[in-house]
Amino acid sequence: MIALWFTLGWSLALPPQVAAPQAVPLPGDAALAARVQGHFQQHCARCHGVELEKQGKKPKDGFGFVDDLARLARDRDYVVAGAPDRSPLYGALLPDADPRMPFGADKDPTKALAPDAIRDVADWIRSLTADPAPARGDGPFVRDAELVQAMGQDLARRASPKQRELTRYVTLTHLYNQGATESELELARQAVTKLLNSLSWESSLVVPEPIDATRTLLRFNLADLGWRPEEWERLADRYPYAVMTGTAAARELSAAMKCALPSVRGDWLVAKASVSPLYEQLLRLPTTPAELAAFEFDRLGVEVNANLMNERAKRAGVEVSDVVAGHRVIERHPARFGAYWITYDLKATRAAGREGAAEVRRSMFQAPLGPATLACFNGTRRDLCFEPASSQRIFSLPNGLQGYLIVDGAGARMLAEPAGNLQDSSGKARGSVNGMGCIACHDQGIHPARDALRDHVLSSSAFSREVKETIAALHPSRSEFDRLIEADRRRFVGALEQAEVSTRGPEPIQALATRFEQRLEARAVAAELGLDLPEFDERVDRRALESLTQLRETLRREPIARAQFVSLFESFVTGLELGQYRAAGSRGGGATAANNGTASEGAPSGDAPTVIDGFTYIGRNDQGKHEYRHDRSSLVFVYLEGGSYTQGSPGNEPGRGDDEGPARQVTVSPFLIAKLEVTQEVYERFMRANPSGFPGDGRRPVETVSFDDALRFCELAGLAPAGRGELGIPTEAQWEFACRAGTTGLLSGKLDDVAWYDQNSDRRTHRVGTKEPNAFGIYDMHGNVWEWCRDYYSEHYSSGPVIDPTGPAAGTGRVYRGGSWGSSPSGCRSAYRFWFVPSSSFNLLGFRPAKSLK
């Protein structure tokens, strides 16, 4: 029986309107709120005020409503009503904040708000009601059945069976149900329109057509985007909010469209299809250097090497970039659909007088030609060819919008600009992540650039006449280069205007995706389930399930994270009798939410990097890493290709212990590591016991587990041979490689975002996978529970580079890593290590399995 997977409801609070803050009553105590508004207007509005959007300027970090207190009071990402100590906005004003706001206050206390002003902010937050969100507008709550009916009626008007098969829908009804204003809804429509057209190789622009009275159910045709039904199925197989209703109307709709999923939610679509892996898959972007060359020639009509040799490309060398920490060479090629822009990002060089050959090739002033792959570029010596660390590719699409690709120095696809190359070492630079990051950064098209290389080379006596002639040919005058940029920018902006997407105010894709990741309060959770709040409460009371009642009580105290809601979605659907839940990835063999907490790619097994006995390939996760499911235990593992990193910590790292050094270069071979810590329910299935000190929720990590217990589990679960259980536990080197996920700092992310620790855990464990994953898609590598490693403990590392180290041959204790619910921030650091007797256990210590593949 064919059944419909339909969208439920969802919540979104989009960026504020440009109306003056006085246009709505001030929330909370009016006199107090007026003082707070004055503080924010005086000290904060320059970077975060509503007037910026009126002027067409971007507010810093996308936050542009600090002086719109009505909007601010209902945004849980900044203010938690009644609780200043849990409000990020208030916390950012305090002396120990890092960074402290207003901007620069952490370095210059005179820039900070006065103590009286900070107290006003705290008192104002306390004065707010517990639920400041506005009620929905005049229209009635739109039910899920009404969406199905509207799609069925619209589909009946399609001209032919083929048109019906190619019709798909995007829903924004959740915004309307939660009281979004028409301008907020319009920004969401624009985000969907821009995203779909940014994933199209067709020459015509597509504006999805609203088909209902609220204009929140949008129709488009797959063929108009150049999509095949298979592209839609990629989305369907990753969709985590699918519920099978089994109604006659749903069956008829699915049968007419010949697909199980007629629609997806717009916020999910924009958030997930604008990043890897869906972004690259839907645009059919290359992966390897050979594929890149073929893509350039066959798809874009560009011969990069020939254009350089024939001096058809035009360049500018940028000495100081807003994005990368080194020099940047920008290069334009004429292309089939407009232009093909390449940025060669050179790593930062050493201090003058200390450069080696490699460092010289990363200074455009000393190696002005290149890239280094063209070693014989016009007969020039290799040492005069720069060597990029990475490269961004921006190409015109046939419809006038732009596509993006980040590759390494050799041309292999990357998920993001390497963090070490960025000006913002935290990795938050807008252009750092392929897809959404580039879209947000280039919301006005190609950025202006000022060439610092042409004059340097032409005025220097260090270069030959031939080099100067080449530079003069490739680097046009400033006015000519500006003309090329402006022509490409006008084409891009013109296409957006034709698609009815505004270029003023916030960039819609990033705005919608960012708000999708906001924490969800009770009203939002109800709407995401297709219910208004009274109906949600009534169903919870009627079902009288302890787990749902506890969840509701939690929601009344504080909102929950998006990842946590995804992991709980099946429980809500089943417990509230909303229909039959269909897990993401189930059509292509993907893991269920119960296994991994997120949607998986579900790619064909032929995409697997290798066949692994006892494991079934799932596909790529949201971070682009391959995932496998262990056949016996059903645990999901992330495949890590291996590589080199610096193990340990530098001598000046805060909180560093003597046993974290000497820092050394470690190379690890490919291995699998569990995506989540082993839970109580999985442990009990094989061990027939649950030793945990925090029972009652099977999805919490198992703890009070000795090293010997962990080995026995690995044997019984089929993760290691009998008597060789240690092979199922990661080595310390493997664990730290997986934890760091390419980072080099104290943590692999912001502490509160990735870890349950002593300041946010309420002195207990929490469900696995409810914090954000790291860049490899692995959860809870910091906090929640400590994790056993295979190595015997040693008081220091050996010096010098090592390959696949396994620690001492014998010892008193085994290493554990990662921090726990009771750990301080220092104890959660990537490099922190300690040990315990392998036969002993305590309620801070659990584990996750791994499998070496060398």
Side-chain angles (χ1 to χ4, degrees):
M1 178 180 68
I2 300 175
L4 170 66
W5 297 0
F6 68 89
T7 60
L8 299 173
W10 67 94
S11 96
L12 175 65
L14 288 169
Q17 305 310 300
V18 296
Q22 292 83 1
V24 293
L26 292 174
D29 182 287
L32 178 61
R35 291 203 307 273
V36 170
Q37 188 178 63
H39 300 322
F40 288 159
Q41 287 174 336
Q42 179 181 354
H43 297 281
C44 308
R46 181 172 60 88
C47 295
H48 302 291
V50 295
E51 289 296 320
L52 295 174
E53 293 182 1
K54 276 187 177 181
Q55 302 162 11
K57 298 178 181 178
K58 290 183 182 179
K60 189 174 179 61
D61 296 326
F63 174 34
F65 49 93
V66 72
D67 47 348
D68 182 351
L69 296 198
R71 170 70 182 91
L72 194 62
R74 65 177 189 265
D75 194 316
R76 295 293 187 115
D77 271 5
Y78 299 98
V79 171
V80 177
D85 58 323
R86 291 193 288 121
S87 298
L89 178 71
Y90 173 71
L93 303 175
L94 300 178
D96 59 351
D98 183 18
R100 187 184 187 188
M101 295 289 114
F103 182 74
D106 48 350
K107 297 181 175 63
D108 182 0
T110 63
K111 296 182 178 180
L113 267 66
D116 288 348
I118 295 175
R119 280 194 293 272
D120 281 347
V121 174
D123 291 342
W124 173 67
I125 294 174
R126 290 190 191 95
S127 75
L128 298 174
T129 61
D131 187 7
R136 186 178 36 77
D138 296 334
F141 192 96
V142 179
R143 301 291 173 182
D144 298 321
E146 296 175 66
L147 297 178
V148 175
Q149 181 182 18
M151 287 186 282
Q153 292 173 347
D154 178 72
L155 198 67
R157 294 190 288 269
R158 299 298 93 211
S160 68
K162 178 55 68 175
Q163 287 294 308
R164 290 191 282 274
E165 290 176 21
L166 295 173
T167 296
R168 298 293 186 272
Y169 299 92
V170 175
T171 64
L172 297 172
T173 311
H174 64 297
L175 303 179
Y176 172 82
N177 281 341
Q178 292 208 22
T181 66
E182 176 55 31
S183 57
E184 290 171 341
L185 290 171
E186 179 57 28
L187 186 59
R189 295 185 193 103
Q190 292 181 22
V192 171
T193 298
K194 184 176 179 181
L195 187 276
L196 291 177
N197 285 286
S198 294
L199 297 171
S200 171
W201 284 103
E202 295 298 299
S203 58
S204 298
L205 290 160
V206 174
V207 180
E209 183 177 353
I211 66 166
D212 65 324
T214 64
R215 302 182 72 244
T216 59
L217 185 56
L218 313 178
R219 181 215 319 123
F220 71 97
N221 186 289
L222 293 176
D224 291 342
L225 295 174
W227 287 13
R228 300 161 297 184
E230 289 82 359
E231 266 81 35
W232 182 260
E233 290 307 311
R234 287 187 183 274
L235 292 170
D237 200 47
R238 298 183 65 85
Y239 193 60
Y241 305 108
V243 177
M244 301 172 65
T245 66
T247 65
R251 291 196 300 270
E252 291 173 4
L253 187 61
S254 290
M257 297 174 69
K258 293 187 177 180
C259 76
L261 183 66
S263 65
V264 296
R265 293 169 21 176
D267 58 347
W268 175 87
L269 174 69
V270 167
K272 298 304 180 183
S274 61
V275 296
S276 184
L278 285 174
Y279 178 77
E280 291 89 355
Q281 291 170 351
L282 293 171
L283 264 183
R284 302 163 216 159
L285 298 182
T287 300
T288 67
E291 291 175 358
L292 176 61
F295 174 81
E296 292 170 337
F297 182 77
D298 297 334
R299 174 72 76 172
L300 303 179
V302 175
E303 293 185 77
V304 173
N305 291 356
N307 286 347
L308 290 171
M309 300 293 283
N310 298 327
E311 299 174 350
R312 292 189 70 214
K314 300 302 176 186
R315 282 180 168 176
V318 179
E319 182 177 10
V320 180
S321 167
D322 291 336
V323 178
V324 295
H327 295 165
R328 167 173 273 193
V329 176
I330 301 173
E331 181 176 281
R332 183 189 187 274
H333 296 258
R336 181 172 291 136
F337 308 119
Y340 182 48
W341 288 87
I342 301 176
T343 68
Y344 300 104
D345 296 329
L346 284 59
K347 288 182 179 178
T349 61
R350 297 180 182 177
R354 298 181 59 192
E355 300 91 341
E359 283 71 30
V360 167
R361 291 198 297 275
R362 293 186 179 123
S363 168
M364 67 179 186
F365 292 132
Q366 294 169 280
L369 301 176
T373 51
L374 293 176
C376 299
F377 181 69
N378 278 10
T380 303
R381 302 191 317 268
R382 182 180 179 85
D383 63 343
L384 290 178
C385 293
F386 59 74
E387 183 177 320
S390 60
S391 175
Q392 291 187 17
R393 311 297 170 102
I394 304 175
F395 46 91
S396 299
L397 294 168
N399 59 23
L401 298 189
Q402 292 176 168
Y404 308 91
L405 178 65
I406 300 176
V407 298
D408 63 19
R413 190 170 79 198
M414 305 175 70
L415 300 181
E417 183 79 30
N421 294 355
L422 299 173
Q423 284 281 25
D424 180 357
S425 60
S426 69
K428 296 179 181 178
R430 294 185 185 279
S432 63
V433 179
N434 194 42
M436 186 197 302
C438 301
I439 290 170
C441 186
H442 294 278
D443 60 331
Q444 300 290 321
I446 302 299
H447 294 174
R450 290 291 174 260
D451 185 17
L453 186 54
R454 176 188 171 100
D455 291 345
H456 169 79
V457 172
L458 297 186
S459 63
S460 173
S461 60
F463 300 104
S464 67
R465 178 174 57 84
E466 291 77 12
V467 171
K468 293 182 178 182
E469 289 174 349
T470 300
I471 289 296
L474 290 174
H475 291 249
S477 66
R478 176 173 295 182
S479 61
E480 182 182 352
F481 202 70
D482 287 347
R483 180 182 59 78
L484 292 172
I485 290 176
E486 180 59 21
D488 292 342
R489 192 197 69 81
R490 283 200 304 269
R491 184 175 188 274
F492 174 75
V493 171
L496 288 176
E497 293 173 348
Q498 185 180 345
E500 303 174 10
V501 176
S502 174
T503 56
R504 295 177 62 85
E507 195 288 310
I509 289 177
Q510 186 186 51
L512 186 57
T514 298
R515 295 306 178 185
F516 172 75
E517 300 296 344
Q518 283 185 343
R519 297 175 69 85
L520 306 173
E521 58 187 357
R523 181 191 301 272
V525 167
E528 296 232 4
L529 296 168
L531 308 170
D532 59 25
L533 193 54
E535 185 177 6
F536 174 77
D537 286 334
E538 186 275 329
R539 287 201 179 213
V540 172
D541 291 338
R542 174 157 48 89
R543 291 289 290 155
L545 295 176
E546 183 179 356
S547 59
L548 291 179
T549 302
Q550 290 176 348
L551 285 171
R552 181 177 61 180
E553 294 308 309
T554 298
L555 283 167
R556 287 174 173 174
R557 295 193 305 269
E558 60 182 1
I560 63 174
R562 169 65 61 179
Q564 185 177 6
F565 177 68
V566 171
S567 70
L568 296 173
F569 189 77
E570 180 180 6
S571 300
F572 278 124
V573 170
T574 303
L576 298 178
E577 299 180 325
L578 300 175
Q580 182 180 350
Y581 175 71
R582 185 63 180 266
S586 56
R587 288 178 55 85
T592 66
N595 283 335
N596 66 5
T598 63
S600 63
E601 169 51 27
S605 59
D607 289 349
T610 185
V611 176
I612 303 173
D613 186 39
F615 290 78
T616 299
Y617 182 64
I618 296 173
R620 290 184 183 270
N621 60 23
D622 287 347
Q623 292 72 29
K625 292 296 183 184
H626 296 283
E627 292 185 352
Y628 292 77
R629 184 189 296 108
H630 184 239
D631 294 339
R632 178 167 169 77
S633 69
S634 295
L635 293 174
V636 174
F637 286 71
V638 179
Y639 173 85
L640 301 181
E641 301 87 342
S644 298
Y645 73 106
T646 300
Q647 185 180 40
S649 60
N652 61 350
E653 182 168 299
R656 181 183 190 270
D658 292 340
D659 60 352
E660 296 173 22
R664 61 180 181 175
Q665 190 78 3
V666 170
T667 300
V668 293
S669 301
F671 66 103
L672 295 172
I673 190 165
K675 187 184 185 89
L676 302 169
E677 295 164 331
V678 172
T679 61
Q680 296 177 30
E681 61 185 9
V682 173
Y683 185 88
E684 188 171 7
R685 190 193 322 155
F686 293 95
M687 301 292 282
R688 305 300 182 189
N690 181 5
S692 300
F694 302 96
D697 186 337
R699 294 188 186 178
R700 287 181 180 175
V702 67
E703 22 74 22
T704 319
V705 176
S706 71
F707 182 84
D708 297 337
D709 292 332
L711 302 191
R712 181 61 176 158
F713 170 89
C714 291
E715 294 173 10
L716 292 175
L719 291 162
R724 299 293 306 280
E726 74 275 10
L727 297 181
I729 305 297
T731 67
E732 193 176 9
Q734 289 172 335
W735 189 95
E736 188 168 336
F737 179 88
C739 174
R740 289 190 177 278
T743 63
T744 58
L746 277 69
L747 302 156
S748 63
K750 186 178 179 182
L751 182 58
D752 280 300
D753 291 341
V754 300
W756 295 109
Y757 66 111
D758 65 353
Q759 295 180 30
N760 68 3
S761 68
D762 197 26
R763 308 298 295 174
R764 59 184 175 88
T765 59
H766 291 258
R767 282 191 172 189
V768 298
T770 53
K771 287 292 186 178
E772 295 179 359
N774 67 15
F776 288 165
I778 307 172
Y779 290 82
D780 298 310
M781 294 300 286
H782 305 284
N784 217 6
V785 291
W786 292 98
E787 297 176 17
W788 284 111
C789 292
R790 190 191 310 176
D791 305 46
Y792 285 105
Y793 177 77
S794 62
E795 294 183 351
H796 55 79
Y797 294 126
S798 62
S799 59
V802 290
I803 298 175
D804 293 322
T806 57
T812 302
R814 300 274 187 167
V815 174
Y816 59 81
R817 301 290 296 266
S820 73
W821 58 265
S823 297
S824 67
S826 177
C828 294
R829 291 179 298 112
S830 300
Y832 190 93
R833 56 197 298 264
F834 209 66
W835 64 276
F836 204 52
V837 178
S839 60
S840 300
S841 62
F842 56 112
N843 66 357
L844 300 167
L845 183 54
F847 70 105
R848 77 176 70 224
K851 179 179 178 62
S852 299
L853 299 176
K854 65 175 181 177

